């Protein structure tokens, strides 16, 4: 039985639905916990407990998600293109089809995630993309590969925003960035592990009737399905339904999330159109989303074409050696991501940390464009891998700059939709006739990284300027906005970031 339904039939003593409602009312009325001064030691213990129960399983699900998505690049240099008779732009088309469904179903996936609950949604969608991975092992033509990749996009599109939204139910604004990095770190680690795994699998003579690249999809898909079934049993939907939290701990989780709100009493509110649109059309959501689009161009280029890039750098190496050489750059990217996210957590700032990794990416693509030295080009792959850093930072930034749970789900989904569009563009940046130096692809990635640097700086300056303007308006009315007097609480909640008391969090 899934934790979404509270596991009320369990023999473990837990808070009933009625008790959970009483707990929420007590928090609202200030009877149970003071919102402003929780015990720091209790908060540290609670964070550690949440970390241990949530982060490992969602990280593992995302690891498998990214492996099942990016293993196409490993399969390509293992013979997939030849076996399916790919010519011209066929490989790019197979990549693009995935992003078409990824974009079309991104918002609906997050709506379903909120409606049914992450405890059901995340493992179920993971099972389905595991099935798609297994099915890929049996394709015999490019159209069949396109059909399976389209289905894979439908089931994978909700994973990244779904996990980000799920964790935003449990952590405060400053804490969220680092926790997001711990699961998004699985993307570069998936690249490293995927290369190592592909190299190991290719050493096997066969799995059943499957040989060569087909074994990669079959084995990785089976592992995904098995892990997802376990997650379906153990994932907890929200603090109120966590059987591993006591009543006081549940109350503290809810109080911590609510303490950063301008208005609103519910930690998890009902879906509402106005609040959803506030999340989608927040200026910060749109700006950061476009930043993530530009970043995703390079992220997806890196994920899908790194094996091909390594092949052009070291053509004299064997396929297995080339697979293994894809691992170290990914590890460097993971280390950079965690470092920047940890600094973001401690400073409770996000926007400023967009810049360090972006500068390194710019340097990397300048090297790709100007140097023919194989070791200089391989060193540039390490710098380019730092592009993964913006994944947790951008999702945390859009989540921090709206108020309600519904607006957060919409903001994170919108941010990821922008990224999916970037992935679609990225699937066409490297084409076969541009090999081996890929000057067009490298030039486009250099332009994208430069755009990130400029736009993130302008957005930061705008946020600070708008906060000053809001402060000035508040002083003019002596902190009291008469236009809000008498408004029902529902209408106040619907204002979200348009509420006069709201300030952007850089």
């Amino acid at each position: 039985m899934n934790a979404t339904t509270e596991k009320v039939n369990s023999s473990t003593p837990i808070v009933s639905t009625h008790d959970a409602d009483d707990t929420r009312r007590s928090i609202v009325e200030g009877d149970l916990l003071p919102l402003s001064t929780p015990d720091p030691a209790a908060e540290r213990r609670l964070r550690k407990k949440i970390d241990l129960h949530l982060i490992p399983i969602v990280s593992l699900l995302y690891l498998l998600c990214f492996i099942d998505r990016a293993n196409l690049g490993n399969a390509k240099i293992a013979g997939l293109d030849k076996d399916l008779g790919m010519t011209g732009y066929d490989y790019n088309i197979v990549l693009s089809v995935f992003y078409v469904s990824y974009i079309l179903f991104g918002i609906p996936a997050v709506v379903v995630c909120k409606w049914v609950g992450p405890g059901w949604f995340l493992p179920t969608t993971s099972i389905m993309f595991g099935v798609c991975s297994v099915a890929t092992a049996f394709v015999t033509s490019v159209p069949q590969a396109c059909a399976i990749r389209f289905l894979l996009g439908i089931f994978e599109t909700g994973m990244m925003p779904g996990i980000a939204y799920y964790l935003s139910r449990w952590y405060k604004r400053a804490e969220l960035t680092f926790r997001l990095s711990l699961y998004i770190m699985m993307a570069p680690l998936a690249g490293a592990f995927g290369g190592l795994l592909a190299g190991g699998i290719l050493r096997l003579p066969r799995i059943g009737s499957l040989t060569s690249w087909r074994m990669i999809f079959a084995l990785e898909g089976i592992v995904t399905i098995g892990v997802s079934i376990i997650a379906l049993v153990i994932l907890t939907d929200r603090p109120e339904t966590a059987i591993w939290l006591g009543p006081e701990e549940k109350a503290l989780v809810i109080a911590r999330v609510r303490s950063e709100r301008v208005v609103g009493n519910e930690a998890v509110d009902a879906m509402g159109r106005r609040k959803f649109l506030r999340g989608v059309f927040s200026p910060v959501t749109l700006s950061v989303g476009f930043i993530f689009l530009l970043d995703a161009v390079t992220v997806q280029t890196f994920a899908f074409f790194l094996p091909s890039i390594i092949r052009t750098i070291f053509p004299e190496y064997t396929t297995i050696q080339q697979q293994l050489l894809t691992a170290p750059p990914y590890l460097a990217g993971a280390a950079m991501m965690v470092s920047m996210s940890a600094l973001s957590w401690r400073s409770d700032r996000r926007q400023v940390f967009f810049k360090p990794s972006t500068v390194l990416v710019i340097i990397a693509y300048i090297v790709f464009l100007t140097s023919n030295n194989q070791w200089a080009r391989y060193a540039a792959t390490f710098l380019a891998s730092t592009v993964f850093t913006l994944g947790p930072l951008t999702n945390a930034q859009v989540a921090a700059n709206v108020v309600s749970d519904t607006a957060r789900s919409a903001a994170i989904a919108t941010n990821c939709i922008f990224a999916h569009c970037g992935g679609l563009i990225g699937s066409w940046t490297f084409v076969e006739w541009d090999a081996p130096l890929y000057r067009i692809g490298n030039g486009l990635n250099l332009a994208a990284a430069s755009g990130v640097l400029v736009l993130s700086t302008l957005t930061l300056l705008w946020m600070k300027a708008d906060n000053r303007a809001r402060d000035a308006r508040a002083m003019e009315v002596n902190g009291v906005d008469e236009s809000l007097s008498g408004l029902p609480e529902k209408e106040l909640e619907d204002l979200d970031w348009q509420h006069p008391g709201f300030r952007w969090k850089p």
Side-chain angles (χ1 to χ4, degrees):
M1 184 180 299
N2 190 276
T4 306
T5 58
E6 175 67 5
K7 298 186 178 180
V8 292
N9 295 324
S10 170
S11 59
T12 305
I14 59 174
V15 176
S16 68
T17 303
H18 176 73
D19 291 335
D21 289 339
D22 288 342
T23 297
R24 285 194 293 274
R25 282 194 296 271
S26 294
I27 295 170
V28 171
E29 296 162 2
D31 295 336
L32 185 62
L33 286 171
L35 296 182
S36 57
T37 56
D39 178 22
E43 284 199 277
R44 284 194 297 272
R45 290 192 299 270
L46 181 64
R47 277 198 306 267
K48 183 177 180 179
K49 194 170 186 178
I50 297 172
D51 289 343
L52 292 175
H53 279 84
L54 300 185
I55 300 301
I57 187 63
V58 298
S59 297
L60 186 55
L61 288 177
Y62 193 67
L63 171 71
L64 295 169
C65 172
F66 207 86
I67 285 178
D68 288 350
R69 176 195 316 174
N71 55 15
L72 199 67
N74 299 110
K76 180 175 182 287
I77 69 171
L80 174 141
D81 53 345
K82 295 179 181 178
D83 289 351
L84 298 188
M86 288 184 175
T87 58
Y89 299 112
D90 283 347
Y91 181 68
N92 301 84
I93 291 171
V94 172
L95 293 180
S96 298
V97 165
F98 170 83
Y99 282 104
V100 170
S101 57
Y102 218 62
I103 293 167
L104 291 176
F105 292 91
I107 293 288
V110 175
V111 172
V112 173
C113 179
K114 179 173 172 60
W115 180 53
V116 303
W120 285 107
F121 176 83
L122 296 175
T124 301
T125 199
S126 181
I127 289 172
M128 296 310 298
F129 64 66
V131 170
C132 289
S133 180
V134 173
T136 308
F138 297 93
V139 301
T140 58
S141 66
V142 172
Q144 290 177 2
C146 287
I148 294 298
R149 293 289 291 186
F150 186 85
L151 292 175
L152 185 69
I154 293 175
F155 296 121
E156 284 199 0
T157 187
M159 183 58 68
M160 183 181 190
I163 296 176
Y165 161 62
Y166 177 46
L167 295 181
S168 73
R169 291 181 166 188
W170 298 81
Y171 294 103
K172 295 176 70 174
R173 181 184 66 237
E175 302 162 353
L176 184 60
T177 307
F178 183 68
R179 273 70 189 181
L180 293 182
S181 76
L182 294 179
Y183 92 83
I184 297 178
M185 178 180 67
M186 295 299 111
L189 289 183
F193 183 65
L196 296 173
L197 184 59
I201 292 173
L202 291 173
R203 291 179 182 272
L204 302 174
R206 64 176 56 245
I207 297 177
S209 62
L210 302 176
T211 59
S212 185
W213 59 269
R214 299 182 185 276
M215 297 187 297
I216 297 175
F217 291 105
L219 187 58
E220 292 175 357
I222 290 170
V223 171
T224 297
I225 294 170
V227 172
S228 302
I229 291 173
I230 296 172
L232 192 63
V233 176
I234 66 175
L235 264 189
T236 298
D237 221 28
R238 61 180 72 184
E240 297 96 320
T241 63
I243 63 175
W244 41 270
L245 289 178
E248 294 81 6
E249 291 173 319
K250 293 180 182 182
L252 181 55
V253 174
I254 298 168
R256 280 161 35 85
V257 173
R258 277 197 54 247
S259 68
E260 296 184 320
R261 294 194 175 182
V262 175
V263 65
N265 291 327
E266 292 182 312
V268 179
D269 58 350
M271 180 69 73
R273 184 179 66 87
R274 291 185 65 184
K275 284 184 285 189
F276 193 87
L277 292 177
R278 290 280 190 259
V280 172
F281 293 107
S282 161
V284 170
T285 298
L286 296 176
S287 174
V288 172
F290 192 72
I291 289 170
F292 201 18
L293 181 154
L294 296 173
D295 179 70
V297 171
T298 305
V299 167
Q300 300 307 328
T301 297
F302 194 88
F304 286 123
F305 294 101
L306 181 61
S308 298
I309 293 170
I310 296 296
R311 169 172 280 183
T312 64
I313 296 174
F314 301 106
E316 71 277 12
Y317 286 20
T318 67
T319 297
I320 291 177
Q321 288 174 325
Q322 291 166 353
Q323 298 275 17
L324 297 177
L325 281 172
T326 64
Y330 278 113
L331 295 176
M336 181 69 170
M337 178 191 295
V338 173
S339 299
M340 290 296 100
S341 297
L343 292 173
S344 171
W345 172 22
R346 296 305 181 187
S347 64
D348 192 16
R349 299 187 68 187
R350 290 149 296 278
Q351 195 83 18
V352 69
F353 291 104
F354 290 11
K355 298 179 183 180
S357 63
T358 304
V359 171
L360 294 179
V361 173
I362 290 173
I363 295 172
Y365 283 97
I366 290 174
V367 172
F368 282 137
L369 286 168
T370 59
S371 176
N372 291 326
N373 181 278
Q374 65 177 175
W375 289 107
R377 292 172 67 80
Y378 184 59
T381 65
F382 286 77
L383 300 180
S385 71
T386 61
V387 72
F388 288 97
T389 300
L390 266 66
L393 289 171
T394 57
N395 279 305
Q397 182 68 326
V398 298
N401 283 284
V402 290
V403 180
S404 70
D405 181 75
T406 294
R408 280 203 313 274
S409 69
I412 293 170
T414 303
N415 188 53
C416 291
I417 289 295
F418 273 98
H420 303 338
C421 294
L424 179 60
I425 297 169
S427 65
W428 288 92
T429 54
F430 281 47
V431 289
E432 288 299 324
W433 56 263
D434 196 28
L437 297 180
Y438 295 110
R439 295 194 182 280
I440 293 176
N442 290 324
L444 288 172
N445 280 282
L446 175 60
S450 301
V452 169
L453 186 62
V454 172
L455 187 55
S456 60
T457 301
L458 293 176
T459 302
L460 179 60
L461 294 174
W462 177 85
M463 292 170 74
K464 292 181 176 180
D466 195 60
N467 280 346
R468 288 194 296 268
R470 289 173 181 243
D471 290 339
R473 287 194 295 271
M475 292 181 64
E476 289 175 3
V477 296
N478 295 319
V480 179
D481 193 332
E482 294 183 359
S483 65
L484 301 181
S485 61
L487 283 181
E489 183 178 350
K490 175 67 167 60
E491 292 189 28
L492 288 173
E493 291 181 11
D494 287 345
L495 288 174
D496 208 86
W497 54 268
Q498 290 191 340
H499 192 286
F502 179 83
R503 298 293 183 272
W504 303 110
K505 289 86 177 176

